[in-house]
Amino acid sequence: LLSAVKKRFFLIVKQLLLAPHINVNKANHAGVTALSYASDNGFYELEELLLAMPGIEKLAEAPLLEAAKKGDVERIATLIKA
């Protein structure tokens, strides 16, 4: 999932999210998740797609913290709403 997000393969990410046992919160060795990578790199379409997934951990992730650091009120609202 993270590899597909890194390459901005929207349709592949969408298909992967349909897999029954996909772990949307899986992190790599550095603690980076698909959501944190999408958020940190401005891949907002992918970020919104991931935020729509049940069980996604958004409050414990870097996206909310990064949005707050940057004062990005719109992204903060999107993260909290999801």
Side-chain angles (χ1 to χ4, degrees), residues 2 5 32-48 50-51 58 61-68 70 72 75-76 79:
L2 179 56
V5 168
V32 177
T33 64
L35 178 58
S36 64
Y37 190 89
S39 181
D40 290 348
N41 290 282
F43 301 168
Y44 301 128
E45 248 185 27
L46 288 168
E47 180 184 54
E48 288 186 21
L50 292 162
L51 285 169
K58 61 183 179 277
E61 294 288 337
L64 185 59
L65 181 58
E66 288 303 312
K70 294 176 184 175
D72 191 337
R75 280 188 55 222
I76 292 169
L79 288 163

Side-chain angles (χ1 to χ4, degrees), residues 12-27:
I12 292 173
V13 170
K14 201 170 183 178
Q15 288 298 312
L16 287 170
L17 293 175
L18 295 174
H21 300 291
I22 189 81
N23 180 354
V24 294
N25 297 308
K26 183 173 173 71

